[in-house]
Amino acid sequence: MNKLIVMLAALILTASSVYAGTCDEVRRVGHFLPQYCHDRCEDGDGKKWDRIFGVNTFLHVHHYCFGLAAEAELRLDEAAGEFTYVIKSWPDYSKLKPIALYKKARILDLFSDQVSDRWGKQTDAISLYEKAIRLDPTYTAAYAALSENAARRGDFDNAKNYLNQGLKLNPKSDLLKKRLRELQKQSTQ
């Protein structure tokens, strides 16, 4: 019995020290992280954030925050792992899930050589961007990223199509308008 209690105590101490270490990262790079990251590390009001983002989002949001912190410090393999975790854990109605999909896709798309294959391959980025758009059809950054991806592959027709699709739902998007102008200049040269 005493052995069991000692083992449980050791497990709890180990788990809390790992958690504290990652919250230290949030505090270290936290000057640019959203308030919900700080609240999660300080046991803030989860009900408030679940009302904003969707039920069961706040429970896992610290992994998203750790991913943001890792991304800021260019530890991209770790960031991709954290984004993978929340993509699997969050329900599709979570307002943060499209952003996590985009962030993971961006890492795979632009830095696949720095990320373990266990998180996916560069070619997986397209389906992640597309899922982000399915979950939030107004997410302009995903349309812009799909367009960039297509243009890098020399597929300028699809690059323009992605931007035009985004502009149909977001006609005032300066980002998409600018990218379309740049793409039109690039394809006429």
Side-chain angles (χ1 to χ4, degrees):
M1 180 70 167
N2 284 342
K3 196 174 194 178
L4 179 62
I5 292 171
V6 170
M7 287 174 44
L8 284 173
L11 180 63
I12 290 168
L13 287 172
T14 303
S16 64
S17 67
V18 170
Y19 185 77
T22 50
C23 280
D24 286 343
E25 289 179 53
V26 168
R27 289 181 197 98
R28 186 176 65 245
V29 297
H31 58 280
F32 72 92
L33 292 177
Q35 183 60 45
Y36 53 82
C37 291
H38 301 282
D39 285 355
R40 183 64 177 105
C41 285
E42 305 301 331
D43 295 324
D45 182 11
K47 290 178 184 174
K48 167 189 163 186
W49 294 111
D50 272 347
R51 282 192 303 276
I52 294 169
F53 297 131
V55 177
N56 296 325
T57 299
F58 190 70
L59 174 65
H60 302 288
V61 81
H62 58 288
H63 287 280
Y64 177 72
C65 297
F66 301 155
L68 293 176
E71 181 185 39
E73 295 181 338
L74 299 177
R75 292 176 288 128
L76 301 175
D77 191 66
E78 185 179 334
E82 296 292 357
F83 296 139
T84 299
Y85 175 87
V86 295
I87 289 165
K88 290 178 181 176
S89 300
W90 283 340
D92 284 350
Y93 58 77
S94 169
K95 289 184 171 65
L96 290 177
K97 190 166 185 173
I99 302 167
L101 286 159
Y102 168 81
K103 292 219 165 261
K104 179 180 176 183
R106 204 73 179 142
I107 290 170
L108 293 177
D109 192 12
L110 300 177
F111 305 104
S112 61
D113 60 325
Q114 298 175 39
V115 178
S116 168
D117 285 347
R118 67 184 169 176
W119 307 129
K121 302 205 180 304
Q122 186 174 21
T123 53
D124 297 329
I126 294 170
S127 63
L128 292 169
Y129 289 137
E130 288 172 344
K131 183 165 185 183
I133 289 169
R134 277 194 308 278
L135 296 179
D136 181 1
T138 64
Y139 193 26
T140 57
Y143 290 102
L146 274 169
S147 175
E148 276 180 33
N149 180 289
R152 274 196 316 277
R153 292 182 284 113
D155 188 354
F156 295 105
D157 289 337
N158 259 339
K160 289 177 190 173
N161 287 338
Y162 287 129
L163 294 172
N164 285 322
Q165 286 172 19
L167 283 166
K168 282 181 187 173
L169 295 168
N170 304 292
K172 295 181 180 181
S173 170
D174 291 333
L175 170 66
L176 297 179
K177 288 179 193 176
K178 179 182 175 194
R179 295 276 170 89
L180 188 58
R181 283 191 306 273
E182 290 170 354
L183 195 58
Q184 287 168 338
K185 284 181 190 176
Q186 185 180 6
S187 63
T188 59
Q189 294 175 348

